[in-house]
Amino acid sequence: MKGDATAAGVREKAKSPLLGLGEREIAALVPSAPSYTARQIRAFCFAGRDIDGMTSLSKTLRASLKEDYVANPVSVMRVYVSRDGSKKYLFSLLDGNLIEGVFMPHDYGNTLCVSTQIGCRMHCAFCASGADGLVRDLHFSEILGQVVAVNAAEGGSVKERAVTNIVLMGSGEPLDNYDNVMRFLDEVTAADGLNVSERNISLSTSGLADKMKRFADSGRKVTLSVSLHSPFDEERSKLMPVNRRYNIAAVTDAARYYFKHTGRRVIFEYTLIAGVNDSDDCAEKLKELTKGFPAHINLIRLNPSGTSLKRPTADAAKEFMLKLNAMGVSATVRHSFGEDIEGACGQLRRRVSAELAAEDKESARVHTEDRKGSKFTTA
Ligand code: SAH
């Protein structure tokens, strides 16, 4: 039968995702169905149902849809539960690639950190996501699919979402996959999509200045976070090669532009590395860079796995924060994932991909929940 994978290992034919398609796009796929069917299918997809679960559609329609389509291209493969209730989700995609996301419960709601690319082109010195370069961009349905899958897995519905806040801070550089990320934002905020408020979404960029301006001009009002990591070009270029293309002046200029055009305060992310970017000179220079502009600095203690760079102590991070505060600079230390290898961006995907390759795993669609101790911790 067409599209049927068998135990003998017949390859399943490539299917397309329905999630995130507009009503008109869906209607074109089911021309003989009644006019309201497309709206129903779109809503079912956002509710996390698979095609079999779209029970108000006729059996024949479901069977024919299943030949060429899946609802969500993202499947939950494993869930790692931390002691504090955070969960790291490992997802598999239709082509067997793996991506990861982190679910973080808070008093005010729950945040999901999603990936926007498989791997990354930025090659930041301390980041596991870029260690092997870019594998491919995620399609917008694959970004959306992470939210839909976790929302359903965490017991949420479309009306009462378990995922209330979204941060684009997982693997990848969101502005390097601009069109898919914009379509993702449109669908996740759509009234007939997941209806998440733009104010509850943050996008983190390594500082692609021209795209930051384009994003500001697009009229979307999500929170923009910019990874700064050093206020000095020479040092920033060592940590973030992208600085050779867009230096600090270009990045801060684009951040000011973003504020001016959206009215949204820009957040600078600053991964603290002991003896590298935590000097008094750095604090002084940060004050200068953020002058006259409502910026906030989010200090993150380095997760040092895989590099020779050193993580500062919690006290040292606090001291740096207080130094900035004393100079009138808004800064806080962010709770960050611990030193365990699974904690930082991209590391879980790399390890499990290597394991799967070693085991020659044939199926990536197993949903297991590993509750045996935490695979990652929060500081
Ligand atoms: N590409 C985007 C978003 C992904 S990373 C960006 O660069 O902003 C999200 C944040 O985590 C970035 O600030 C990144 O520099 C930081 N990060 C990555 N690996 C880290 C590590 N090992 N320790 C601390 N912060 C890290």
Side-chain angles (χ1 to χ4, degrees), residues 38-109:
R39 192 177 324 139
Q40 279 184 324
I41 294 176
R42 180 170 158 87
F44 280 142
C45 289
F46 280 108
R49 298 229 199 146
D50 60 14
I51 294 174
D52 279 329
M54 300 184 185
T55 44
S56 62
L57 307 183
S58 73
K59 264 194 173 166
T60 330
L61 180 56
R62 275 181 275 155
S64 94
L65 275 173
K66 273 173 63 181
E67 290 194 359
D68 297 313
Y69 303 98
V70 293
N72 188 347
V74 177
S75 307
V76 175
M77 185 182 170
R78 290 183 191 163
V79 185
Y80 298 84
V81 184
S82 156
R83 265 174 257 123
D84 69 353
S86 306
K87 294 179 184 177
K88 189 134 192 170
Y89 276 81
L90 187 69
F91 306 106
S92 63
L93 305 177
L94 297 177
D95 63 1
N97 268 304
L98 303 177
I99 50 172
E100 53 194 274
V102 182
F103 180 78
M104 294 163 276
H106 307 293
D107 305 339
Y108 55 83

Side-chain angles (χ1 to χ4, degrees), residues 139-308:
H139 185 253
F140 76 87
S141 64
E142 293 172 321
I143 311 174
L144 208 47
Q146 298 168 59
V147 183
V148 168
V150 173
N151 196 40
E154 296 292 336
S157 62
V158 174
K159 283 223 169 76
E160 277 190 56
R161 291 183 315 274
V163 176
T164 55
N165 297 58
I166 297 167
V167 293
L168 286 82
M169 288 189 187
S171 293
E173 167 47 54
L175 297 184
D176 189 37
N177 185 14
Y178 192 87
D179 292 342
N180 279 305
V181 167
M182 295 307 123
R183 176 89 191 252
F184 160 74
L185 291 174
D186 292 345
E187 297 300 342
V188 85
T189 54
D192 70 337
L194 273 187
N195 206 13
V196 178
S197 157
E198 282 179 340
R199 291 183 175 272
N200 291 349
I201 303 177
S202 292
L203 182 151
S204 176
T205 179
S206 55
L208 307 188
D210 51 355
K211 301 270 180 58
M212 287 163 67
K213 289 185 174 174
R214 190 171 153 200
F215 189 37
D217 290 338
S218 79
R220 298 176 181 88
K221 288 194 166 32
V222 313
T223 302
L224 184 68
S225 295
V226 181
S227 297
L228 192 58
H229 305 329
S230 170
F232 297 109
D233 277 316
E234 200 183 325
E235 188 59 54
R236 189 168 188 267
S237 293
K238 282 192 215 154
L239 297 173
M240 306 178 70
V242 67
N243 193 64
R244 296 192 194 110
R245 176 95 194 269
Y246 302 105
N247 65 15
I248 294 168
V251 172
T252 49
D253 171 58
R256 282 167 203 271
Y257 185 97
Y258 193 84
F259 167 67
K260 203 167 150 218
H261 288 77
T262 63
R264 308 284 288 143
R265 179 176 81 154
V266 173
I267 312 257
F268 287 106
E269 284 162 282
Y270 197 91
T271 293
L272 272 174
I273 307 168
V276 172
N277 61 2
D278 56 355
S279 66
D280 289 354
D281 282 356
C282 288
E284 282 289 344
K285 189 75 182 169
L286 281 172
K287 177 189 169 194
E288 212 178 286
L289 288 179
T290 53
K291 216 172 13 202
F293 155 59
H296 176 81
I297 300 181
N298 228 332
L299 303 167
I300 311 153
R301 285 196 297 146
L302 174 77
N303 179 326
S305 53
T307 71
S308 54

Side-chain angles (χ1 to χ4, degrees), residues 106-140:
H106 307 293
D107 305 339
Y108 55 83
N110 303 313
T111 301
L112 181 68
C113 173
V114 296
S115 297
T116 55
Q117 293 179 315
I118 304 169
C120 183
R121 286 206 289 179
M122 299 302 141
H123 290 290
C124 296
F126 45 79
C127 181
S129 300
D132 300 326
L134 179 70
V135 178
R136 70 169 172 85
D137 283 336
L138 291 183
H139 185 253
F140 76 87

